[in-house]
Amino acid sequence: MFPSKSLFVAAVLFVSANAQSSGSSTTSTTTTSSTTSTIPPTETGRITLPISSYPFTRFPTPSGPPPITGVFPSASPLDPPAVSSDPTIVPDFGPAWAEAWSKAQAFVSTLSMDGKVNLVTGVFLESILCVGNIAAISGNGTYFPGLCLQDSPLGVRFTDFVTAFPAGINAAATWNRELIRHRGVYMGAGHKGKGVNVALGPMINMGRNPEGGRNWEGFGADPFLSGVAAYETVLGMQSSGVQACAKHYINFEEAWYLTEESSNVDDRTEHEIYLQPFLKSVMAGVASVMCSYNLINDTYACENDRTLNQILKTEFGFQGYVMSDWSATMSTLSAVAGLDMTMPGDITMDSNNSYFGANLTAFVNNGTIAASRLDDMATRIVAGWYFLQQDQPGYPNVSFNSYDALDSHNLHIDVQDDHYELVRQMGASSTVLLKNNGVLPLKNIRSYSIVGSDAGPGLLGPNGYTDRSGDDGVLAMGWGSGTTQFPYLITPLEAIQARARVNRSSVNWFLNDFDYTGVQSTVAEQDVAIVFVNADSGEGYITVAGNYGDRNNLTAWHGGDQLILAVASANNNTIVVTHSVGPLIIEPWVDHPNVTAILWAGIAGQEVGNAIADVLFGDWNPSGRLPYTIAKNASDYPSEPIHGGGPTSILKIDYSEGLFVDYRWFDAMNITPRYEFGYGLSYSTFEYSNLCITPVANVDSYDAGAITNWEAGLPSLWGVGSSTAFWLHTPAYTITFDLTNTGVYYGGEIPQLYVHFPTDSGEPPSVLKGFTNANLSPGETQSVTISVSRYDLSIWDIGAQSWVKPNGTITFTVGASSRDGRLYGTVPV
Ligand code: BGC
């Protein structure tokens, strides 16, 4: 969010009658006055669910007597388990949390009420450097230097000499754990290098609606893929020393007036779809979680006892802290419902009052909120800081000012390192080859026509629009808070011309999207015409070309369809490249005989041009796979953003498709997509053979009872950490098979495992539960393994509040996409 804007008038309606200033201070090291308040603790908030009998929980993730086979006794998030294409170990951050908690408790015990309240209330009304700021506080002998919280999920926002990484949707399209982990490591290093304590990412809401404005910040439309990407990103970011923040918790799947909508979701769908990436983030040791603007089943996300206290802090055993999204706090009593920190501090931007601050002090003073709860809030926040060892000497100071480019805090520290190499590699690895009539990779081409404004630079430069709120030139990022400044932006035209110099070929271009006569005369007689089109979206506080964050339709921008058709009518070797935030309807031209190849390139960051050139010219054999379905008609998808509502009439968004999100819906309804989830071609071909599934012997007596119980189809007890218990997540079966490269190019394949639950289980026909990646030379055969856990083979039993194995036979398919099964098996349980 951009702080200067005034927004969310709606929130004001829910302001407590007694909300007022919590005092002011002038520097980031002063404290907020809170003891002078005489405010009575009466509040008219919107909490509609009963607060649970316990006000909070801080119990650690269950940690058995080590060593447990398959459990990595990690001492620190700075030293996580190594990345693997088939992870078989579950990290145990319990000991590291315990140590951080004991240090934090010791520190918090020395603080006055003011100090504790200041720890949980963002700093406002003063010169701030980061998008979120917690003031410095001195305890008895310990100095806590405060916290800098900064966007975004693809780099460091509002500063210079940073790297603009590929968006989350591209990270997901690689289906490559190693690349995703590295992206996290490098983003974490960039944030730390600038002095950021808490990086506000990853963004892990689900791509439920193909038009969802912020989908590109996240990891696609499948909970398993999104869960893997969340897990690797958190492990990577935190291994660099920065605190990650899993956002936006939860059911925040569209960009329309956020505080005026209630996402209504049943408990099974919540557990199996929307919670999965948050659960995986907790298992990766995420230090913080951001609650979202919307309501969930009629209760605001930041005062939702069910999602915060019961699920996140109890069932998942989350030991870090929950911060509000910017101005998403709706009451002081949110603290009882599980909110630990309010951001940016004031109720609405520049409103000069806070639900925490003096109000929180008053509520604690008269016993409405237990003093122990305030201790817990403060302790969770300081524990996150100790957990990442940010108390150690040498943690960098904040070296930028988000809001004043001329301020002397801007030290212009270069945190780019050689991260551009990963950006380029991930850009290529996330490009999905949808169609290829044998024309790619390009060979022996003498003349090229490069067509479309998306091939070249924008007139205003890469950062010409605030928060990237314009679509001019090549699209390499969406718009909103999930952005960074580009340090530079290599366009496709620039990268292809660099090749032409070496290849001694000729390049013409035509970047006007609407002059069809002009473009046709340019592309005629050229060996190949490469047409670039795009589609943009972003966060709802900015409207671009009539799109209020969410996309108005699934059509290419700038008349892309007509442009492609015009080119294809004049050149019989027309290659289409899309830079799109999500699915497009491509029916107008996909089957055109002169459209000889289609590359789906997402939004790839600063090296976008080099990345696509690497794929076009065969330096990289495409291995990206679709992280969502491309339909034939927009109406084929199960849901779309719903707009309407208002401050006094909360809009109901019923997640009535339940478990049937994206490909699950197409499969169940027998709708043929244009390109299915998981689809993607290679310049090579791969064969699968020799399937085998083996149970993993449980060699430890620890949790043996729980496993026997599960195998008998019985539920386990709901309680602290019950959904993150090791026995549920360590490998239960290994599936092995042979993979052979039957083509002529070296390249990577992404074998995918889809589970088919018994029909009366209520599950969709196919559910992704595993994938790996393998790179093979022509003719080479490799044995490949995919491990599955009991969690992967369970469904959520609402009555028992437990993960259970459904009755009946569970079968599975291993193949190249959600609809390209190659090997079939049965789980021997
Ligand atoms: C966004 C968050 C972001 C925050 C701070 C909000 O508008 O929803 O994702 O981290 O602003 O900029």
Side-chain angles (χ1 to χ4, degrees):
M1 173 178 295
F2 194 72
S4 63
K5 70 186 186 285
S6 63
L7 77 173
F8 309 131
V9 181
V12 178
L13 293 178
F14 305 130
V15 168
S16 92
N18 48 38
Q20 67 174 48
S21 167
S22 63
S24 64
S25 49
T26 50
T27 73
S28 62
T29 55
T30 54
T31 56
T32 301
S33 165
S34 54
T35 48
T36 52
S37 171
T38 54
I39 300 166
T42 53
E43 171 164 73
T44 52
R46 283 190 56 92
I47 294 186
T48 55
L49 286 184
I51 303 299
S52 42
S53 51
Y54 53 85
F56 61 89
T57 176
R58 61 131 302 208
F59 298 100
T61 311
S63 182
I68 305 168
T69 307
V71 174
F72 182 79
S74 173
S76 160
L78 280 80
D79 181 26
V83 65
S84 158
S85 56
D86 178 41
T88 52
I89 47 178
V90 178
D92 178 7
F93 290 112
W97 274 120
E99 195 183 325
W101 264 83
S102 95
K103 288 179 185 166
Q105 279 167 322
F107 174 69
V108 170
S109 70
T110 68
L111 296 182
S112 64
M113 173 91 87
D114 270 359
K116 293 172 194 171
V117 169
N118 284 332
L119 265 172
V120 306
T121 310
V123 177
F124 53 99
L125 288 180
E126 53 194 272
S127 58
I128 52 172
L129 299 178
C130 304
V131 301
N133 305 268
I134 292 291
I137 289 151
S138 291
N140 194 4
T142 312
Y143 177 68
F144 174 77
L147 294 175
C148 162
L149 291 72
Q150 190 73 2
D151 294 309
S152 76
L154 56 66
V156 194
R157 187 181 179 207
F158 286 150
T159 182
D160 50 12
F161 302 102
V162 294
T163 303
F165 287 90
I169 198 67
N170 281 60
T174 67
W175 296 61
N176 184 312
R177 291 175 173 88
E178 190 169 344
L179 290 175
I180 298 171
R181 173 81 71 94
H182 270 94
R183 175 176 173 271
V185 171
Y186 290 169
M187 291 195 307
H191 278 278
K192 179 177 175 183
K194 289 281 187 181
V196 174
N197 299 95
V198 187
L200 300 175
M203 146 48 203
I204 51 178
N205 295 121
M206 206 62 58
R208 169 179 182 255
N209 304 305
E211 299 89 353
R214 300 184 70 176
N215 287 0
W216 56 271
E217 293 184 49
F219 299 125
D222 177 80
F224 183 89
L225 178 61
S226 186
V228 167
Y231 178 80
E232 296 296 349
T233 303
V234 170
L235 287 181
M237 288 172 72
Q238 296 202 153
S239 72
S240 290
V242 79
Q243 300 179 43
C245 175
K247 71 183 187 184
H248 310 84
Y249 190 71
I250 192 173
N251 307 128
F252 182 64
E253 268 80 33
E254 50 182 88
W256 181 256
Y257 287 109
L258 320 150
T259 53
E260 300 172 8
E261 58 192 42
S262 176
S263 300
N264 300 328
V265 190
D266 69 86
D267 192 46
R268 179 167 172 189
T269 301
E270 193 75 300
H271 274 81
E272 294 189 23
I273 306 283
Y274 299 96
L275 280 166
Q276 189 165 167
F278 288 97
L279 178 144
K280 296 285 178 172
S281 298
V282 171
M283 293 185 69
V286 73
S288 66
V289 168
M290 185 191 289
C291 51
S292 51
Y293 288 113
N294 53 290
L295 300 91
I296 302 143
N297 299 329
D298 289 333
T299 301
Y300 275 108
C302 291
E303 55 187 31
N304 197 309
D305 181 64
R306 169 69 182 149
T307 54
L308 298 179
N309 278 335
Q310 292 181 26
I311 296 178
L312 183 65
K313 290 185 175 175
T314 306
E315 190 184 312
F316 292 1
F318 173 59
Q319 293 174 78
Y321 55 97
V322 176
M323 70 175 79
S324 69
D325 200 343
W326 271 231
S327 305
T329 304
M330 297 294 168
S331 62
T332 304
L333 277 175
S334 302
V336 190
L339 181 68
D340 299 304
M341 175 193 279
T342 190
M343 274 292 151
D346 38 5
I347 290 176
T348 52
M349 302 293 174
D350 306 324
S351 64
N352 187 15
N353 52 14
S354 178
Y355 284 120
F356 283 9
N359 280 311
L360 182 57
T361 305
F363 275 54
V364 174
N365 274 339
N366 77 1
T368 306
I369 294 176
S372 55
R373 171 62 187 131
L374 177 60
D375 287 348
D376 177 65
M377 294 158 73
T379 307
R380 283 175 174 274
I381 292 164
V382 181
W385 180 69
Y386 279 121
F387 185 58
L388 271 298
Q389 299 178 22
Q390 294 183 347
D391 60 312
Q392 294 303 304
Y395 199 89
N397 292 324
V398 180
S399 60
F400 61 93
N401 183 331
S402 298
Y403 305 114
D404 183 357
L406 303 177
D407 181 48
S408 59
H409 282 99
N410 292 305
L411 302 182
H412 309 289
I413 291 178
D414 179 0
V415 294
Q416 298 171 97
D417 208 323
D418 59 1
H419 300 169
Y420 72 92
E421 288 180 3
L422 179 83
V423 175
R424 179 171 180 166
Q425 191 186 355
M426 184 172 257
S429 309
S430 58
T431 299
V432 186
L433 177 63
L434 294 183
K435 176 178 178 180
N436 187 10
N437 289 358
V439 297
L440 290 179
L442 295 170
K443 294 263 188 290
N444 305 320
I445 301 287
R446 299 207 63 200
S447 56
Y448 298 85
S449 268
I450 310 300
V451 173
S453 59
D454 183 71
L459 287 180
L460 303 190
N463 301 312
Y465 294 92
T466 306
D467 290 339
R468 314 296 78 78
S469 57
D471 185 51
D472 177 28
V474 63
L475 187 72
M477 214 182 271
W479 75 76
S481 67
T483 54
T484 64
Q485 300 286 109
F486 285 105
Y488 59 79
L489 181 56
I490 305 291
T491 68
L493 180 57
E494 183 182 348
I496 292 169
Q497 290 212 80
R499 303 273 178 158
R501 183 197 292 137
V502 178
N503 298 341
R504 308 187 67 76
S505 46
S506 78
V507 176
N508 289 300
W509 63 86
F510 198 87
L511 306 187
N512 182 324
D513 295 318
F514 298 101
D515 178 357
Y516 303 129
T517 312
V519 78
Q520 282 170 330
S521 74
T522 303
V523 303
E525 320 264 314
Q526 306 292 307
D527 289 349
V528 63
I530 310 178
V531 191
F532 290 81
V533 298
N534 69 37
D536 205 353
S537 73
E539 196 171 338
Y541 66 89
I542 302 175
T543 299
V544 179
N547 296 266
Y548 176 92
D550 296 325
R551 299 159 71 189
N552 290 340
N553 53 49
L554 299 180
T555 309
W557 285 32
H558 309 294
D561 291 342
Q562 293 85 335
L563 182 67
I564 293 166
L565 289 172
V567 173
S569 71
N571 186 300
N572 66 4
N573 190 10
T574 297
I575 296 171
V576 177
V577 177
T578 64
H579 288 125
S580 176
V581 288
L584 290 172
I585 301 303
I586 58 178
E587 295 307 299
W589 44 266
V590 62
D591 279 334
H592 193 297
N594 289 348
V595 172
T596 50
I598 304 172
L599 285 167
W600 204 257
I603 42 175
Q606 69 193 43
E607 291 279 338
V608 55
N610 283 329
I612 200 67
D614 288 345
V615 176
L616 284 166
F617 292 94
D619 296 345
W620 181 260
N621 186 350
S623 58
R625 302 289 182 262
L626 286 176
Y628 46 71
T629 296
I630 296 179
K632 291 187 173 176
N633 305 291
S635 57
D636 290 346
Y637 290 102
S639 63
E640 60 181 345
I642 304 178
H643 294 174
T648 53
S649 58
I650 297 297
L651 181 68
K652 289 195 182 311
I653 302 178
D654 296 329
Y655 283 35
S656 48
E657 75 287 351
L659 303 174
F660 296 83
V661 175
D662 199 78
Y663 66 94
R664 301 156 177 242
W665 173 264
F666 286 77
D667 291 349
M669 297 295 158
N670 215 4
I671 302 169
T672 306
R674 172 48 68 175
Y675 293 114
E676 72 272 15
F677 175 84
Y679 176 85
L681 299 171
S682 160
Y683 296 152
S684 210
T685 47
F686 300 91
E687 263 180 31
Y688 294 63
S689 59
N690 296 333
L691 181 76
C692 178
I693 178 164
T694 322
V696 176
N698 178 34
V699 293
D700 304 292
S701 55
Y702 180 71
D703 276 339
I707 292 171
T708 311
N709 217 33
W710 180 87
E711 284 171 350
L714 298 171
S716 50
L717 274 184
W718 186 89
V720 176
S722 54
S723 277
T724 47
F726 295 133
W727 68 268
L728 202 51
H729 294 275
T730 45
Y733 298 90
T734 54
I735 291 152
T736 55
F737 52 94
D738 288 338
L739 192 63
T740 305
N741 183 342
T742 49
V744 295
Y745 291 96
Y746 173 83
E749 171 73 333
I750 314 275
Q752 301 160 35
L753 173 87
Y754 292 87
V755 165
H756 319 295
F757 287 103
T759 34
D760 59 3
S761 65
E763 288 292 307
S766 289
V767 183
L768 180 73
K769 293 293 183 177
F771 67 86
T772 186
N773 64 299
N775 299 308
L776 295 92
S777 300
E780 184 185 350
T781 297
Q782 279 179 20
S783 176
V784 174
T785 303
I786 297 177
S787 302
V788 289
S789 66
R790 291 172 194 87
Y791 172 74
D792 296 328
L793 298 174
S794 298
I795 63 175
W796 181 251
D797 182 326
I798 296 178
Q801 289 291 291
S802 173
W803 294 102
V804 293
K805 181 179 72 64
N807 285 332
T809 307
I810 302 175
T811 60
F812 64 94
T813 300
V814 172
S817 81
S818 61
R819 290 192 167 214
D820 186 2
R822 306 290 181 88
L823 302 170
Y824 304 90
T826 300
V827 180
V829 65

